[in-house]
Amino acid sequence: MIKNYCKIVWRNMLNHKAYSALNIIGLAIGMGVALLIGLWVVNEYSYDRFLPGYKQLYQVELNYTLQKSGKGTQNAISIPVAEVLRKNYPEIKHVAVSDWMGPHALLVGDKKLYIKGASVESDFLKMFRYPLIKGDANSVLQDPYSIVLTESTAKALFGQTDPMNKTIKIDNKHYVKVTGIMKNVPLNSTLQFNYILPFSYSLQTEEWIKNASTQWNNNPLQIFVELQANASYAQLAPKIKNILYDNSPQMRDIKPEIILHPLSDWHLYSEFREGKAVGGFIEYTRMFSVTGILVLLIACINFMNLATARSEKRAREVGIRKAIGSRRIDLIIQFLTESVIITFIASLLSILLVQLALPSFNALTGSSINIPYKSCIFWSVMIAYVLITGLLAGSRPAFYLSSFNPVKVLKGGTPVGKYAAIPRKALVVIQFSCSIVLIISTIVIYQQIQHVKNRPVGYSSERLVTTEMSSDLVKNYDALKNNLLQSGAVESLATTSSSLTAISNHQSIERWPGKTAPDQAINSGGISVSDNYFQTVGMKFIMGRNFSNNYRDDSLNIIINEAAVKRMGLKNPINQTISFNGVNGPARIIGVVQDALMGSPFAQAEPTVFNRAKEGNFLIYRLSATVTPHEAIQTTGKIFNTYNPAYPYSYHFADEEYNHKFKLEMLAGKLAGIFACLAIFISCLGLFGLAAYIAEQRSKEIGIRKVLGASVASVWFLLSSDFIILVIISCLIASPVALYFLQNWLQHYEYHVNINFGVFVISAVAILLITILTISFQAIRAALANPVKSLKAE
């Protein structure tokens, strides 16, 4: 029986090549989009789940409450918390303090790398069991001056030579010995690093970490824990909640609460509201999962409509089969089997399309997705995918075609009733509604990105460059500064503790004029800068003055931004005093600068306090306008290499760093645009086929109208009007649906665009033009046909 069905499918495909091509191409594209999105979603859900025992791994995080801004969450926490967790709670198996260090210089002979790594306690590798190629996880981090390299880092530094027990110079200061080699960290790991140092190394070489290790009111680093196999976070949560509150009286104003964030949620649930993980990247995976389903649905609707539209072609076949004894269930099975066979052919083409698209898709999303050809699970899912899609696409045609009355169709009567076209029209409306929702979404996402990009950032990013300061650059700062300014490549420069696009340190403002509640506190950014900082970055003063070039004169003075003034409710902030982090000694406000977007560009500028410092972690400099950026970078590179020979010259343009903040939204916009175009293309394939069959079905009517004097335009309108009305109905349905979901999406951003009526007009006009162009070919072709050919049999 199956063999017979296959023969029928093959013959139908040969006899109706255009119809078969439209069906298979439409299904293949729809299945390909759904398959590609499915592989991507599986990849996103796989983050960190490759680690053994990942379900028991957590990060210790801190909830705090501020009266004016509510409850917030941060993953940096006090180091002494680790010892309390380790000693007092048997539910916890391992604890590891870690410092996810910025880039550091690794020097071996003439080879030097400037890459990111981590400093971790010895239990880290017992918790996060990244596979070691060489070395023992129990001992590789025992010596403070040891280091574990990833494969790629070891190869970059030592080539084919065995790196074990070889020495590496770090930051041109300390020598460490290679005690282990681990496999490269997978891309689907939230923690990314190129090497690991013992935390004891940081305690011995970084004075600030040594001091912070005993400070309860300082929250600088990260802590990870692994629970016992029989323990749960629900049991542990109330026990650890008040550790900071009980041990740090200075932090009680912000009501600190210890929480644990599970490893399995780090990637997808990174956004916290009111102390709970409520969203993050999971929202985009859900959005594109729905998009994939919609595109597949559009392809299935194509199949249904084209199959039912050509029902007259198969009416006699159904009549004959029923006349010789076929039951309706037999015909349903036949048509469903045909649908599954066509879907199987389309699935093979879809896999080919996905394989061709993967390199570009991986480059766009930063993924490393591959089709798992050797996986039995993948092929089992594909079989189910083909069956479900085939049954879904073939369901309406199977039940519709099998319902024909054999007597009526064999007498030459029409198999379709008065209302037979209504389901087909309803499916066309659903199909185009989905496409229009995707078009509107693409436009709104683009508008949101442009709206935020055009937002004033509060500084001038043109030709502004940032380089991280090393100990050698700090030591030679005066000479470096003079050489850069004298080179003609740099207009001005300054040092700072934070880059322009991220605030590294936060503090609580606890006392200020007009404070009304004893437990009231304001979380603010804290940035240490040199005197020329505001001039270099182009940040304007609202009132007051800048720091002087004498550090001692301004060591107790601060400059705040507009957001801080507003949050504290200060009417005349100049010469007012405030204190923060429990320090009784006041700091005097000498100036107020305009708000600058240093955090999220989608949020309001946060309160920020600038204090005077002798040195900083970053050097910010503005390149001269009289030379090209390329020439200027070449000149500055030579100067930096003179004073910083152990480090490769590394720099970042401020505008590029700022644009990087839109990476996620731009990815969403690009993917939405691509999938919207594919959805429209699939819809148009179906529309083209429907237009062809309707023109064929009404050929005699068109011939009579032409004989009676109908013009080409009137015939075109006759065939096009029904489709245009259906698309207009689709626009009316899709617009409120898109508005509802997009407004919910925009509410995640404090600073967002307002959706205006023009978006819906543009989308409607665009889809109408596409519809008219698609059906016009068939309509005009039918209108220009010789009526003699269609009427000669009458």
Side-chain angles (χ1 to χ4, degrees), residues 110 266 331 342 406 452 454 482 504 555 656 706:
D110 60 348
W266 289 1
L331 293 171
I342 292 173
V452 178
N454 294 331
N482 292 333
S504 305
S555 60
E656 292 178 357
K706 289 195 70 179

Side-chain angles (χ1 to χ4, degrees), residues 331-542:
L331 293 171
I332 290 173
I333 293 172
Q334 176 194 337
F335 291 128
L336 287 176
T337 304
E338 290 180 15
S339 174
V340 169
I341 292 171
I342 292 173
T343 304
F344 172 72
I345 297 170
S347 71
L348 297 178
L349 181 57
S350 74
I351 291 174
L352 175 61
L353 293 175
V354 170
Q355 187 64 59
L356 294 174
L358 271 177
S360 299
F361 186 81
N362 283 336
L364 179 64
T365 60
S367 307
S368 58
I369 302 169
N370 292 303
I371 299 177
Y373 292 110
K374 297 180 180 180
S375 170
C376 294
I377 295 175
F378 170 75
W379 290 114
S380 299
V381 171
M382 282 301 299
I383 291 170
Y385 183 33
V386 169
L387 288 173
I388 292 170
T389 304
L391 294 175
L392 176 64
S395 57
R396 173 164 161 73
F399 287 96
Y400 177 68
L401 293 172
S402 64
S403 67
F404 290 166
N405 187 322
V407 176
K408 187 175 182 180
V409 296
L410 290 176
K411 281 184 176 181
T414 176
V416 296
K418 184 178 178 181
Y419 302 104
I422 291 177
R424 186 167 68 243
K425 290 179 179 179
L427 289 173
V428 170
V429 169
I430 294 172
Q431 188 178 43
F432 273 90
S433 295
C434 295
S435 299
I436 294 164
V437 166
L438 291 175
I439 292 173
I440 295 171
S441 300
T442 302
I443 294 173
V444 171
I445 292 172
Y446 174 79
Q447 286 184 336
Q448 168 67 359
I449 294 170
Q450 294 306 310
H451 179 66
V452 178
K453 276 190 171 183
N454 294 331
R455 182 184 182 186
V457 296
Y459 57 87
S460 174
S461 61
E462 186 180 6
R463 308 186 316 279
L464 202 60
V465 184
T466 302
T467 294
E468 291 192 44
M469 294 286 282
S470 68
S471 56
D472 288 342
L473 290 177
V474 171
K475 183 172 61 178
N476 298 298
Y477 175 67
D478 290 334
L480 172 69
K481 177 181 178 180
N482 292 333
N483 279 15
L484 287 172
L485 293 174
Q486 292 170 6
S487 69
V490 174
E491 288 181 0
S492 60
L493 56 84
T495 59
T496 173
S497 61
S498 297
S499 71
L500 269 174
T501 54
I503 299 177
S504 305
N505 182 50
H506 285 78
Q507 58 205 1
S508 293
I509 302 175
E510 297 181 347
R511 293 178 178 84
W512 65 89
K515 179 179 177 179
T516 55
D519 61 348
Q520 188 178 1
I522 295 172
N523 188 42
S524 69
I527 303 178
S528 301
V529 300
S530 62
D531 60 297
N532 209 34
Y533 175 81
F534 300 103
Q535 177 188 340
T536 299
V537 302
M539 204 177 290
K540 296 179 180 179
F541 276 81
I542 305 299

